[in-house]
Amino acid sequence: MTITDERASNPAAGGADRPIGYGRIQRKEDPRFIRGKGNYIDDIVLPGMLHSAILRAPVAHATLVSIDTTRALAHPGVVAVITGKDLLGLKLAWAPTLSADVQAVLVTDKVRFQGQEVAFVVANDRYAARDALELIDVEYDVLPPVIDARKALDPGAPVIRTDIEGKTDNHIFDWEAGDAAETDAVFASADVVISQEIVYPRVHPAPMETCGAVADYEPIEGHLTLYETTQAPHAHRTLFAIVAGIPEHKIRIVSPDIGGGFGNKVGIYPGYILAVVGSIVTGKPVKWVEDRSENLMSTSFARDYIMQGEIAATKDGTILALRTNVLADHGAFNATAQPTKYPAGFFHIFTGSYDLKAAHCKVTGVYTNKAPGGVAYACSFRVTEAVYLVERLVDILARKLEMDPAELRIKNFIQPEQFPYKNKTGWEYDSGNYEPAMRLSMQIAGYEELRREQKEKRERGELMGIGVSFFTETVGAGPRKHMDIVGLGMADGAELRVHPTGKAVVRLSVQSQGQGHETTFAQIVAEELGIPPEDIDVVHGDTDQTPFGLGTYGSRSTPVSGAAVALVARKVRDKARFIAAAMLETRPEDLEWEKGRWFVKGDPSIGKTIAEISMGAHGTVELPEGIDGNLDAEVTYDPPNLTFPFGAYICVVDIDPGTGHVKVRRFIAVDDCGTRINPMIIEGQVHGGLTDGVGMALMEIIQFDEDGNNLGGSFMDYLIPTAMEVPNWETGFTVTPSPHHPIGAKGVGESATVGSPPAVVNAVVDALAPFGVVHMDMPCTPGRVWEAMQGRPRPP
Ligand code: PCD
């Protein structure tokens, strides 16, 4: 392991950057990954293990008339075929979702989206299972589907959720935040009002590894071991106990290495439950792994918000108020992952980074005949949608007022002395210092020079666009008194043991999917105790070995679990002081800490290192009253607030006037995630998120035809960016620590996905300004850009 202690101050950060625990060290998990020795779900092979496949509905909306499994059962190698009727008998046909709705595990009455689970085949091998799917005879009676969310509430629209007693429409919820009357009053007297419908289309997290599970039910002890691609092993265990009626202490969830989560692996999908049922029914371990199309068509989508947004401002560009009305397409079951009290997630952070007089938002959720989900794909619960809305609107305002979009933003920023800042919809931003971040990104970009270049090019008819965005994220959910998921408070645990020789193991309730937790969480302990990171083992992803906690999503691991780890290390340090005092025959209050050791005040030559203290604790030293013989501790951390990282992004695009093709020429990203642990990992997180953002802005969309056929069900149609489509990222940072986090860190994992789509679209629209284009909806594909140039913008 290369350790370069990155303690040198960073001029751009005003000298404040002091990365934690040796800073930019290489990732401890990478030797295993780059040698192909990772252990993913499909690598798990248990003795006698069976394989499975799911029959999926070919249509979006249909009554299930009959289903005949005789031919499939007779197929060689097939061990069991399970239908919805079988599940009804087991009371497992419907499972609770993360949003207090239910979802069909297998269809019993009606198909509600194309790709829905209809039957489950268990066989000796994968091929037999797949082949048998074609031998299941199903008769459907096709019904008219609801595909356009705008028509979901029309009188006479087909009712999708006939399973809900008394349901006569497709309405799920209405939710609002802010003060409507106050906001309307500000709008009524404003000099300038701009308004725009902005669509954030349906996209998919599309992680490299699809979802999968291996279920191993042991009938004698009644013990279930479930290997699963999950971002939240403990929450899944509790839900499985509730759904399957297996006592919680007899369930072990193991989440091994995960090939990307991005929110896709938060929910509980029918496939996981079916693997368990398959194992119970056959008495053998059962593996289920979905293919790419199954992943894109049936597991959680993200976004799908139709937003009508408005800004009220003065003539000189002071933003006064924001209001929006949103139609949220939740698909056939409301399975959105978010804290219970927030049906639209944290969308009400849509006031962004600006100091406003008033704000109001209303969100209406509807059912359609599409896959359920609405996951926080690389976004803390709808913050992506919120940031996209406000950052597009601010750009539209800048155009209207003929102001520079960066200067307009700077003029309206919440000022450093206003933090902690209470916004108009109930959030308290912990800390921020926005203008330096914006100015730094402008400096890296050479902003004025770019504008000059653009002017010249415009005169020559070339299409160059410069897009600015500024975002505030809302991560680290969340205080237990406000936030829970299906009744489980959003806290996280950490356990730390220092072994007699001074090596340590820290056990986490969160679950890495590639973010590098094995490295960064060891770094936090290293910072607090002075044990080198390579001597600290990080254990996660196994409910039998780790403390309870809600898991990894919404960039909450560092804000919540990272805090737990810092505090558990401090607990150990405090205990070590008593033991060191006993060893040195002095009083604890006469000792002073320096990284890695307690020493006698005034005589640094007399002291004990953590390793010596640990040996003392486990050895023969006489321990003080009330101190037991170990250096272990545990903590459950309930965050007092979320953390609010932020960033300033600038994107430069060139558009080919002949084809409408958008090339992202440059992208400058300045991020502030408070105290940084590992700058290299942070850069990796930012690079990944920016790539995601370019993908959504330019090419990714899950679309449907009018019959409800999914048109984005493979990587032939659902395009994701490669190295060819992205530029060399130019990153910078500022450091504004979180005042309430023990080490001042904020999350960063999703920041770039949140901040980059508006920067790219703002750049595209800026390039198209000569054509009078004020807005265009994502993805800005060549076809759509070309149509916009002809004055014919196409709705998604
Ligand atoms: N960090 C540092 N410093 C600071 C912060 C942070 O260093 N200040 C680092 C840490 O430690 C880690 C990372 O960085 O390692 C991240 O973090 P965060 O922010 O805390 O986050 P998390 O929790 O850990 O994670 C999560 C995220 C999310 S959420 C998502 S989407 C994505 C991201 O993460 N995903 C992923 N990133 C990533 N990466 C990878 N590789 N893979 C993946 O999958 Mo969601 O809600 O789920 O949608």
Side-chain angles (χ1 to χ4, degrees):
M1 180 187 297
T2 321
I3 296 183
T4 41
D5 196 333
E6 245 208 33
R7 302 239 132 201
S9 62
N10 179 302
D17 188 37
R18 297 183 60 81
I20 293 298
Y22 307 93
R24 189 182 289 273
I25 59 172
Q26 290 183 2
R27 305 202 322 167
K28 293 174 59 172
E29 43 272 84
D30 284 348
R32 159 169 112 242
F33 292 147
I34 58 182
R35 288 173 172 81
K37 296 290 179 198
N39 183 36
Y40 299 90
I41 283 294
D42 212 23
D43 294 321
I44 293 171
V45 177
L46 301 181
M49 186 177 79
L50 301 174
H51 296 264
S52 66
I54 292 176
L55 179 71
R56 295 180 180 276
V59 291
H61 201 192
T63 306
L64 180 68
V65 180
S66 67
I67 175 161
D68 183 350
T69 60
T70 328
R71 290 197 303 139
L73 267 169
H75 186 69
V78 169
V79 180
V81 181
I82 295 161
T83 64
K85 214 164 163 192
D86 303 324
L87 294 186
L88 279 175
L90 298 165
K91 295 202 164 45
L92 283 174
W94 295 85
T97 68
L98 297 177
S99 277
D101 193 357
V102 289
Q103 170 170 0
V105 177
L106 289 176
V107 171
T108 53
D109 53 343
K110 208 165 82 156
V111 168
R112 292 180 171 85
F113 67 92
Q114 188 191 44
Q116 193 181 345
E117 297 78 2
V118 176
F120 186 63
V121 176
V122 183
N124 288 333
D125 61 60
R126 214 169 262 203
Y127 307 98
R130 280 273 159 151
D131 289 345
L133 294 183
E134 287 169 29
L135 302 174
I136 302 174
D137 300 303
V138 193
E139 199 187 321
Y140 299 103
D141 198 355
V142 177
L143 299 166
V146 180
I147 301 306
D148 184 350
R150 293 179 176 90
K151 295 184 184 151
L153 297 179
D154 284 357
V159 178
I160 298 167
R161 297 301 301 279
T162 40
D163 58 297
I164 302 173
E165 227 186 280
K167 190 87 187 135
T168 54
D169 59 19
N170 297 311
H171 180 259
I172 310 176
F173 65 83
D174 279 312
W175 184 81
E176 53 187 311
D179 189 324
E182 193 185 349
T183 307
D184 291 349
V186 176
F187 267 87
S189 61
D191 305 338
V192 185
V193 171
I194 59 108
S195 96
Q196 179 66 47
E197 184 187 274
I198 295 175
V199 177
Y200 208 131
R202 180 174 276 238
V203 293
H204 197 283
M208 204 186 299
E209 181 198 26
T210 59
C211 298
V214 177
D216 186 10
Y217 184 72
E218 193 286 303
I220 299 170
E221 303 280 338
H223 201 285
L224 170 69
T225 306
L226 181 61
Y227 302 87
E228 230 198 336
T229 47
T230 174
Q231 300 180 219
H234 288 276
H236 273 212
R237 182 180 59 175
T238 305
L239 286 172
F240 269 101
I242 294 168
V243 172
I246 302 170
E248 199 164 356
H249 66 296
K250 298 208 170 191
I251 302 179
R252 175 181 174 205
I253 306 268
V254 183
S255 189
D257 287 326
I258 293 194
F262 306 103
N264 192 207
K265 291 163 181 167
V266 174
I268 296 189
Y269 300 118
Y272 299 151
I273 302 174
L274 290 167
V276 173
V277 173
S279 181
I280 294 176
V281 168
T282 62
K284 300 257 179 73
V286 171
K287 177 183 279 185
W288 166 71
V289 177
E290 60 183 9
D291 66 21
R292 180 58 58 191
S293 290
E294 293 182 285
N295 179 257
L296 286 170
M297 289 176 69
S298 69
T299 60
S300 302
F301 74 93
R303 329 291 189 231
D304 222 344
Y305 262 32
I306 302 171
M307 308 178 279
Q308 188 64 46
E310 286 177 288
I311 284 189
T314 62
K315 280 197 290 278
D316 67 344
T318 301
I319 302 175
L320 302 172
L322 260 171
R323 72 184 166 199
T324 183
N325 228 314
V326 177
L327 185 61
D329 183 341
H330 281 236
F333 307 99
N334 187 18
T336 302
Q338 81 255 301
T340 305
K341 272 196 219 165
Y342 306 86
F346 299 163
F347 182 76
H348 50 312
I349 196 78
F350 81 115
T351 55
S353 314
Y354 311 108
D355 184 23
L356 307 178
K357 285 201 167 10
H360 178 253
C361 69
K362 180 171 176 248
V363 182
T364 300
V366 297
Y367 290 122
T368 59
N369 287 108
K370 299 177 193 166
V375 289
Y377 157 32
C379 129
S380 190
F381 313 115
R382 306 285 187 186
V383 179
T384 312
E385 290 89 324
V387 165
Y388 183 64
L389 175 74
V390 61
E391 290 306 294
R392 277 270 52 242
L393 288 174
V394 169
D395 248 50
I396 295 170
L397 178 68
R399 174 85 71 82
K400 169 125 183 170
L401 298 175
E402 293 175 2
M403 281 181 75
D404 178 85
E407 295 301 336
L408 176 63
R409 284 173 170 85
I410 290 170
K411 184 179 166 87
N412 287 284
F413 279 153
I414 301 163
Q415 294 303 304
E417 62 280 5
Q418 287 177 284
F419 291 93
Y421 176 80
K422 264 199 157 43
N423 89 334
K424 292 292 173 189
T425 52
W427 294 101
E428 186 175 301
Y429 296 32
D430 60 343
S431 64
N433 191 3
Y434 296 161
E435 184 170 343
M438 190 73 243
R439 296 268 179 224
L440 177 59
S441 74
M442 291 165 80
Q443 184 196 321
I444 299 174
Y447 189 73
E448 276 170 28
E449 184 49 41
L450 283 173
R451 287 285 175 208
R452 253 197 304 279
E453 180 192 341
Q454 180 185 40
K455 196 159 169 260
E456 275 174 34
K457 287 195 165 157
R458 264 194 192 154
E459 279 157 16
R460 295 202 298 266
E462 288 173 45
L463 303 179
M464 167 183 169
I466 304 161
V468 176
S469 84
F470 196 96
F471 66 92
T472 300
E473 251 267 68
T474 314
V475 302
R480 287 179 54 197
K481 59 174 190 280
H482 300 307
M483 292 177 197
D484 69 271
I485 289 192
V486 290
L488 301 169
M490 299 192 77
D492 273 280
E495 284 172 16
L496 177 63
R497 283 186 205 165
V498 184
H499 306 309
T501 58
K503 316 287 181 199
V505 54
V506 61
R507 299 168 190 278
L508 313 176
S509 55
V510 293
Q511 162 66 45
S512 175
Q513 306 104 46
Q515 299 88 338
H517 290 179
E518 286 167 49
T519 307
T520 47
F521 284 78
Q523 290 184 266
I524 299 174
V525 177
E527 175 75 14
E528 299 295 330
L529 290 180
I531 302 173
E534 63 267 34
D535 288 347
I536 302 160
D537 216 7
V538 176
V539 175
H540 59 164
D542 181 343
T543 54
D544 273 11
Q545 290 204 54
T546 54
F548 186 87
L550 276 232
T552 294
Y553 39 84
S555 304
R556 62 188 297 282
S557 302
T558 306
V560 187
S561 187
V565 168
L567 294 180
V568 84
R570 286 177 196 176
K571 234 172 156 173
V572 162
R573 193 165 77 196
D574 292 344
K575 184 173 181 186
R577 183 182 202 167
F578 285 91
I579 298 166
M583 294 170 83
L584 296 166
E585 297 180 347
T586 177
R587 295 180 312 166
E589 51 279 27
D590 293 336
L591 295 181
E592 214 173 296
W593 174 257
E594 71 177 354
K595 206 168 173 187
R597 71 196 277 269
W598 284 106
F599 66 92
V600 175
K601 273 181 199 160
D603 190 354
S605 70
I606 306 175
K608 292 285 175 196
T609 63
I610 276 288
E612 289 165 336
I613 300 168
S614 190
M615 193 53 100
H618 290 93
T620 55
V621 175
E622 197 176 324
L623 297 169
E625 197 53 42
I627 300 286
D628 44 10
N630 61 48
L631 262 194
D632 304 346
E634 56 180 81
V635 155
T636 299
Y637 185 73
D638 176 21
N641 189 5
L642 293 93
T643 67
F644 295 76
F646 54 90
Y649 291 179
I650 296 175
C651 175
V652 183
V653 301
D654 296 310
I655 297 182
D656 181 333
T659 62
H661 178 262
V662 177
K663 179 168 173 53
V664 178
R665 189 209 314 168
R666 287 183 68 195
F667 201 108
I668 297 89
V670 170
D671 274 275
D672 190 319
C673 57
T675 307
R676 304 177 346 132
I677 302 163
N678 186 324
M680 181 197 68
I681 286 185
I682 292 171
E683 282 159 22
Q685 291 289 300
V686 171
H687 291 181
L690 294 174
T691 307
D692 259 348
V694 167
M696 285 181 286
L698 299 184
M699 59 193 87
E700 294 181 37
I701 184 167
I702 299 273
Q703 264 174 311
F704 296 83
D705 69 12
E706 55 196 27
D707 296 325
N709 293 308
N710 188 322
L711 305 178
S714 84
F715 278 165
M716 296 288 286
D717 304 300
Y718 189 79
L719 303 181
I720 53 171
T722 69
M724 298 296 292
E725 283 83 29
V726 298
N728 258 327
W729 307 113
E730 299 169 65
T731 57
F733 63 92
T734 58
V735 176
T736 312
S738 165
H740 62 77
H741 187 282
I743 60 170
K746 302 180 178 185
V748 75
E750 301 163 304
S751 290
T753 321
V754 168
S756 55
V760 180
V761 177
N762 287 346
V764 171
V765 173
D766 184 48
L768 298 178
F771 299 90
V773 176
V774 178
H775 175 72
M776 74 173 289
D777 280 320
M778 294 187 283
C780 305
T781 56
R784 286 187 182 190
V785 170
W786 193 83
E787 282 177 349
M789 286 160 59
Q790 321 305 311
R792 285 187 272 128
R794 191 207 314 174

